[in-house]
Amino acid sequence: MTPDSDPTIPVRTISARTADSVETAVRAVDLFKVYGRGDTQVTAIDHVDVSFGRGEFTAIMGPSGSGKSSLMHVLAGLDTATSGQAWIGGTEVTGLHDRQLTQLRRDQVGFVFQSFNLVPTLTTEQNITLPARLARQRVDQEWFAEVVHRLGLQKRLKHRPSELSGGQQQRVAIARALLTRPDVIFADEPTGNLDSTSGAEVLTLLRRSAREMSQTIIMVTHDPVAASYADRVLVIVDGRIADDLRAADTDQIMQALSRLGA
Ligand code: ADP
Ligand code: MG
């Protein structure tokens, strides 16, 4: 029996996705993370409270070592918090055990990395559907076709990653993240390895995914131009949210960064 026809495999409900646009997709409540102990103790996340609305595209910026990756990792269930809570949708990430975390990352979270992380031996189509197949989820063919169309990958479905440009590979990684309709996509420097034209194309797609598909996206970037594509820019300094800008252009972002010494 194929997973598609197995009635015992639960199909995720879509009801959580049909609520109004102010629904909170991701939330940190008094989130605190320290590494080490005693003299070598480092506070990476310093009692952060923040909410991310469904369909919101947020850029996280700040100096190296300010806690951007730590925040993203704790929110995504890739690392534990010292205290406080992280929520994705209605799930308290900080209250889950290992097996449940694996399931959360599989079912509720999508990742896009700087290095694409595609499987080199698989075609575009196989790479995009891999997480769904690993989770034994039904691949929604209509949604697959729409995602592929919106990302302009129709003519690349049979190609392997080595036959694609960097921009195309990153579009495949975005399609892969979008396909399972996760509560949130975390993108870690997704344009870091791209030339400016491919980078702009990828950022435009991320922004359209948020606007047109209500996909919540949280992206770490060092690039004020990349951040200007986002609806919101959080500047993190010393583990705290030092600024929270909306609809900021590149100049406003650069001014905020220099004001904060970030
Ligand atoms: P960013 O992503 O903004 O560069 P990080 O979240 O990686 O910052 O790091 C925040 C702080 O936590 C830094 O001082 C860093 O050195 C420290 N840190 C990060 N990971 C670890 C770790 N695994 N062990 C000890 N300290 C860490
Ligand atoms: Mg980092």
Side-chain angles (χ1 to χ4, degrees):
M1 193 184 318
T2 66
D4 284 358
S5 62
D6 185 344
T8 64
I9 294 171
V11 175
R12 288 187 64 220
T13 162
I14 57 159
S15 59
R17 297 169 196 292
T18 54
D20 61 49
S21 59
V22 295
E23 182 191 343
T24 296
V26 180
R27 191 151 64 107
V29 182
D30 197 19
L31 196 64
F32 183 58
K33 169 83 180 170
V34 293
Y35 290 105
R37 50 181 66 209
D39 287 350
T40 59
Q41 189 163 305
V42 174
T43 300
I45 306 173
D46 196 1
H47 300 285
V48 164
D49 289 286
V50 65
S51 292
F52 302 90
R54 192 171 88 97
E56 192 169 56
F57 177 17
T58 304
I60 298 185
M61 305 193 77
S64 179
S66 60
K68 303 181 296 295
S69 296
S70 299
L71 179 61
M72 205 154 90
H73 291 166
V74 172
L75 289 174
L78 293 167
D79 201 354
T80 57
T82 303
S83 66
Q85 298 174 341
W87 293 80
I88 292 184
T91 308
E92 192 200 332
V93 179
T94 38
L96 300 180
H97 302 296
D98 280 357
R99 211 169 58 85
Q100 297 166 310
L101 282 172
T102 304
Q103 204 171 340
L104 171 103
R105 290 194 294 265
R106 196 185 66 196
D107 296 344
Q108 287 175 260
V109 177
F111 294 97
V112 177
F113 300 94
Q114 183 172 349
S115 50
F116 319 139
N117 286 16
L118 301 178
V119 180
T121 53
L122 298 184
T123 65
T124 291
E125 178 169 10
Q126 291 166 335
N127 265 291
I128 294 172
T129 57
L130 184 63
R133 285 186 290 122
L134 287 176
R136 305 221 299 149
Q137 276 177 24
R138 175 196 301 276
V139 173
D140 178 339
Q141 290 303 332
E142 209 174 313
W143 179 241
F144 173 85
E146 178 165 350
V147 166
V148 163
H149 175 74
R150 283 177 186 262
L151 272 67
L153 292 167
Q154 306 95 307
K155 295 189 176 144
R156 298 283 179 275
L157 289 177
K158 301 298 172 203
H159 293 62
R160 296 194 201 299
S162 62
E163 299 163 327
L164 301 172
S165 70
Q168 288 168 341
Q169 288 183 60
Q170 196 58 300
R171 274 151 50 192
V172 175
I174 293 169
R176 178 179 61 183
L178 287 169
L179 187 67
T180 55
R181 299 193 227 233
D183 287 314
V184 54
I185 290 179
F186 290 101
D188 196 354
E189 295 267 345
T191 55
N193 279 333
L194 301 178
D195 60 59
S196 60
T197 308
S198 303
E201 179 188 279
V202 161
L203 290 160
T204 301
L205 284 165
L206 288 175
R207 183 164 62 186
R208 279 184 49 196
S209 306
R211 295 220 174 127
E212 297 172 16
M213 307 187 223
S214 294
Q215 178 61 60
T216 308
I217 301 172
I218 301 177
M219 167 180 81
V220 169
T221 182
H222 286 105
D223 178 5
V225 175
S228 73
Y229 282 79
D231 303 312
R232 181 182 184 191
V233 181
L234 289 183
V235 185
I236 302 202
V237 179
D238 292 336
R240 295 194 197 114
I241 295 173
D243 211 341
D244 188 347
L245 310 168
R246 300 223 174 232
D249 63 26
T250 308
D251 282 345
Q252 290 167 324
I253 294 166
M254 282 167 55
Q255 280 165 21
L257 293 174
S258 69
R259 188 169 62 236
L260 296 163

